[in-house]
Amino acid sequence: MKLTFWLLDINYEVKNHKPEVWLWGIDQDGNRILVIDREFEPYFYAVLKENVDAKSVMEGIKARKNELPFITRMETVDKKYFGKKVKTLKIFCQDPNLIEKYAKRIGKIEGVKECLEDDIRYSMRYIIDNEVTPCGWHQLEVEEIPNNLKVRAEKIFLAKSKPVYTEKHEIPKLRILGFSIICYSAKGSPKPDKNPVIIISTATNTGEKKQFTAENSENDEGIIREFINYVNDFDPDIIVGYGSNRFDLPYLAARARKHGFLLSIDRAGTEPHRSVYGHMSITGRANVDLFDFADEFPEVKVKTLENIADYLGVMKLEERTIIEDVDYPEYWETPEKKPQLLEFSMENTRCIMGIAEAILDFAIQLSNLVCLPLDHVGAAAVGFRVEWFLIRHAYHLNELVPKRIERPYRPYAGAIVLAPKPGLHENVCVLDFKAMYPNIMITYNVSPDTYVPPEHPDPPCGVYVAPEVKHRFRKEPSGFYREVLSRLIATRDEIKAKLKSFKPESPHYRLLDARQKAVKVITNATYGYAGWIGARWYIKPVAEAATAWGRYTISNTIKLAEKAGLEVVYGDTDSIFIRYEPEKIDAFIKQIEKELGLEIKPDKIYTRILFTEAKKRYCGLLPDGRLDIVGLEVIRGDWAEVAKGVQEKVLEIVLKERSPQKAADYVRQFISDMQARKIPLRKFVIWKTLTKKLEDYEVRAPHVEAARMLKKEGWDLTLGDKIGYVIVSGTGRLYERVKPYMFASIEELDIEYYVKNQVVPVAARILSIFGIKKDELLAKKGVPKTLTDFFKS
């Protein structure tokens, strides 16, 4: 019979040295199904040395039958390696778990140069060779078999043919469950070996919300069992959380094991397990940790659940219940406060579900594009996403996949970042090159397989020579990167053209828009991959040449802008900031396309922008009233809230009201409120993370001393814990005047420390640009005015 199904998850099993691939999915009738394929043969390649007889190498391998008993067959294959033709042996091995071990032994045989592709997982090998696409529809011949495996699937099939990808783009009706947990620890960060889970809040995309609460703070066995039963009854396809890979799932699994059972929430009757990219794999379902996609929102500087939810419009910060984790015990144990903790937990889960609704389409399309399973694609670093996309295309181009090897970092000249013109600038437009680096790599055929080493002569087709660094790249034929990037850019253009046929509110539009965003992410990340020392296809001259052409492009763009009478106020990597003069800019854009052959377009327009004296530190006022802050203390985590809050307010007043003097008055009033102790204690807390064990710290840093005090009081602290401390009045060095904030009172604080070392420096970073010095911020209101009076005229 023929089966059509949408692929959700893939794993493999090896039984008696015989492998089988398990394909979990949803069929055209909405059944949750499992397809087992036992026919795909694992293999790897042995690259032969030049002028070596392949048959003699085969005989050498056969002679080692006793130590290589699961080699089933071999064949000679012509491949390409960095664009050069090589002869290889394709070696089939019955047990995929033995491949790396066998490759090491075969690599030592006379005539073998090296073994390749032995480090590609069997399930990924299956995806590549069969053109199987995660989150895509496939057809194949199957035979239904009984469920003797006791897996959670409505039907089980045995594959009778290879899956064939079908151009069907609709996503089936998925069951999605979101969850969050609250743990109880009276002292320190919760540890799963002793601290229980007290609240588990869940929500589904069918609208159901449910909370499981412990009877007391001693025993969580009951709520974990209830949670397991609930998950299996709902039988979700996708489970979503925020930070669930790093905390929630490992914590729940450890607590379950402590009670003598497994956190069996998958479809195979096992427990979540740590997988390739550090994510927790839930067999037969997709576990998606939304935190893994937080970097897709660079506008959100601190990637907390509530900040991402606020940015996406899921739940505004002012509507949220916010409770710090160290305050959970107090809220749990106080009858009047406990409902707030329950509400806070449920709001967390509501935010998770809202973020999932906004992100999942993109995640699904990214998975489909790069051919990494949905639970892998978020957890995988950008370099790995690009790499799997390249590996898929390497297979079609008959290119061997290089091994990943450890390399020392060797710096090279990067992109141009101009020194900014400090101060306020009105009406500034950011012009951004469309896919500048990918287009450079296409134009000049920059690729690992087109690079011509210094000792080699120019090939007959000629070379492109990179400015400054003088690296050479063959003009013909097209390199690996040119092929892949050209295809990506053409695909995105096609998708964007199709988008015009649909209304923005339609499901087709949403799907295509998510697809084009996924294509854009991979296209732009390919340049970064070229310079990533962990890349399989890493060749330093490729990255150096691309940045050299990038610097050449930006330098010429700046010269053309100045020739056109446009004032350039800043430049960074692939963007320039210029005074916004619409008519001149339109003509300038056409000139750039004509003279440099690259497309440039307005990215942002700032009503007003403030540059400090430093590169990559500025703040712009967008037309909708939002502040776009880059590199300043307000977005960094190692300053107290009093400092960050003041700097943000100063920026707001300066940019919206054009009054540095008013901003200075605000700072002076805030300092006065601090000195009157009208500001809450929590705004004075400084947070630092323990990056090593306490006993390994040689320097007596403030956060380390605070941690030692906590440990003395019975708190259990480990690597990675965040320590919140305050500075209190007294004498001696700074580390001698710290206290964990939960042990301190507002009366004890050394307010002058916060004024002089936190608030005034961050305010002065902005206001000194307008001639307002630190001393003036410490003076009372009504002091003589400074140069800034001209702003009021």
Side-chain angles (χ1 to χ4, degrees), residues 460-590:
C461 63
V463 293
Y464 295 110
V465 182
E468 299 175 43
V469 293
K470 304 303 178 189
H471 297 314
R472 295 172 299 151
F473 295 87
R474 223 177 43 229
K475 288 187 174 180
E476 295 295 339
S478 290
F480 183 32
Y481 283 177
R482 179 190 270 176
E483 293 267 353
V484 171
L485 288 168
S486 298
R487 196 174 305 175
L488 280 168
I489 289 171
T491 299
R492 186 165 182 240
D493 289 343
E494 284 170 23
I495 295 169
K496 290 182 86 171
K498 284 181 188 174
L499 275 171
K500 295 173 183 174
S501 319
F502 299 100
K503 293 181 178 178
E505 62 272 15
S506 72
H508 283 93
Y509 185 96
R510 183 170 170 167
L511 194 69
L512 286 169
D513 191 43
R515 182 77 175 175
Q516 69 88 12
K517 283 175 184 169
V519 173
K520 180 184 177 183
V521 164
I522 296 304
T523 306
N524 290 334
T526 303
Y527 154 68
Y529 174 82
W532 177 41
I533 59 170
R536 291 175 184 265
W537 278 280
Y538 177 80
I539 292 183
K540 189 185 176 191
V542 172
E544 283 184 321
T547 53
W549 264 303
R551 291 191 297 275
Y552 170 83
T553 300
I554 289 293
S555 297
N556 278 287
T557 302
I558 291 166
K559 287 174 188 171
L560 290 170
E562 289 168 347
K563 199 181 285 186
L566 288 162
E567 183 189 354
V568 179
V569 295
Y570 184 57
D572 187 353
T573 311
D574 58 358
S575 303
I576 60 167
F577 293 57
I578 58 177
R579 187 83 62 198
Y580 186 47
E581 298 179 59
E583 288 183 14
K584 282 187 181 179
I585 284 176
D586 288 344
F588 174 64
I589 286 170
K590 289 172 185 169

Side-chain angles (χ1 to χ4, degrees), residues 4 30 62 154 185 200 216 237 240 250 308 322 327 342 396 410 415 438 453 508 517 553 584 599 610 613 618 659 781:
T4 302
K62 287 175 184 174
E154 289 160 281
S185 173
I200 306 175
N216 53 57
D237 304 302
V240 291
I308 296 287
I322 301 290
D327 297 325
L342 291 167
H396 291 295
R410 292 177 294 164
H508 283 93
K517 283 175 184 169
T553 300
K584 282 187 181 179
E599 186 180 338
L610 172 75
E613 77 294 341
Y618 59 86
S659 177
K781 289 176 76 171

Side-chain angles (χ1 to χ4, degrees), residues 53 63 88 111 147 175 196 382 422 435 508 535 558 646 655 703 725 746 755:
D53 178 38
T88 72
N147 187 357
R175 295 196 289 260
V382 173
H508 283 93
I558 291 166
V646 162
L655 285 163
H703 74 294
Y725 65 92
I746 190 75
V755 170

Side-chain angles (χ1 to χ4, degrees), residues 94-120:
Q94 183 180 300
D95 187 339
N97 293 337
L98 295 173
I99 280 182
E100 285 199 68
K101 179 181 171 184
Y102 279 22
K104 280 181 185 173
R105 291 180 181 176
I106 289 172
K108 295 173 184 175
I109 290 175
E110 184 66 33
V112 174
K113 188 177 181 182
E114 62 181 317
C115 288
L116 294 175
E117 304 198 8
D118 53 292
D119 56 351
I120 293 180

Side-chain angles (χ1 to χ4, degrees), residues 666-704:
Y666 166 80
V667 176
R668 285 190 281 266
Q669 181 58 54
F670 190 86
I671 290 170
S672 177
D673 289 345
M674 287 170 67
Q675 290 166 336
R677 303 185 192 270
K678 292 179 181 178
I679 310 297
L681 174 74
R682 60 186 169 80
K683 291 187 178 289
F684 292 88
V685 179
I686 302 166
W687 292 94
K688 286 269 191 179
T689 301
L690 290 177
T691 55
K692 49 189 173 183
K693 293 177 182 176
L694 276 179
E695 55 269 26
D696 293 340
Y697 278 97
E698 294 176 12
V699 178
R700 299 191 72 177
H703 74 294
V704 176

Side-chain angles (χ1 to χ4, degrees), residues 403-430:
K403 273 196 184 309
R404 179 173 293 106
I405 57 174
E406 286 190 27
R407 305 177 181 88
Y409 176 68
R410 292 177 294 164
Y412 56 89
I416 283 182
V417 182
L418 295 182
K421 296 180 179 179
L424 274 181
H425 300 269
E426 301 284 330
N427 296 319
V428 169
C429 175
V430 182

Side-chain angles (χ1 to χ4, degrees), residues 183-295:
C183 303
Y184 182 96
S185 173
K187 293 184 175 182
S189 299
K191 304 294 184 293
D193 60 329
K194 62 179 182 180
N195 299 125
V197 178
I198 50 174
I199 306 171
I200 306 175
S201 296
T202 65
T204 71
N205 63 334
T206 59
E208 185 171 282
K209 297 180 181 67
K210 199 165 177 64
Q211 273 190 322
F212 306 94
T213 57
E215 290 182 12
N216 53 57
S217 57
E218 301 296 323
N219 194 342
D220 55 1
E221 179 177 354
I223 68 164
I224 295 174
R225 287 191 184 275
E226 285 179 58
F227 175 68
I228 292 170
N229 292 336
Y230 180 72
V231 171
N232 290 323
D233 286 345
F234 180 68
D235 194 22
D237 304 302
I238 300 174
I239 295 177
V240 291
Y242 196 86
S244 48
N245 277 330
R246 294 154 188 79
F247 185 76
D248 303 55
L249 285 170
Y251 202 99
L252 285 168
R255 292 300 299 167
R257 283 197 302 274
K258 186 170 179 64
H259 292 304
F261 57 93
L262 297 180
L263 186 73
S264 184
I265 56 172
D266 68 358
R267 283 178 167 152
T270 61
E271 64 178 340
H273 59 276
R274 191 71 67 185
S275 192
V276 198
Y277 300 109
H279 69 283
M280 299 298 287
S281 177
I282 302 177
T283 306
R285 312 190 198 280
N287 162 44
V288 177
D289 184 344
L290 299 169
F291 178 75
D292 291 330
F293 293 93
D295 285 342

Side-chain angles (χ1 to χ4, degrees), residues 153-191:
E154 289 160 281
K155 294 184 178 183
I156 300 183
F157 301 97
L158 194 61
K160 293 296 180 183
S161 68
K162 291 181 179 180
V164 177
Y165 180 66
T166 64
E167 290 293 332
K168 181 180 175 184
H169 298 297
E170 294 82 6
I171 296 171
K173 193 173 180 181
L174 298 166
R175 295 196 289 260
I176 303 166
L177 180 140
F179 80 104
S180 65
I181 68 173
I182 300 283
C183 303
Y184 182 96
S185 173
K187 293 184 175 182
S189 299
K191 304 294 184 293

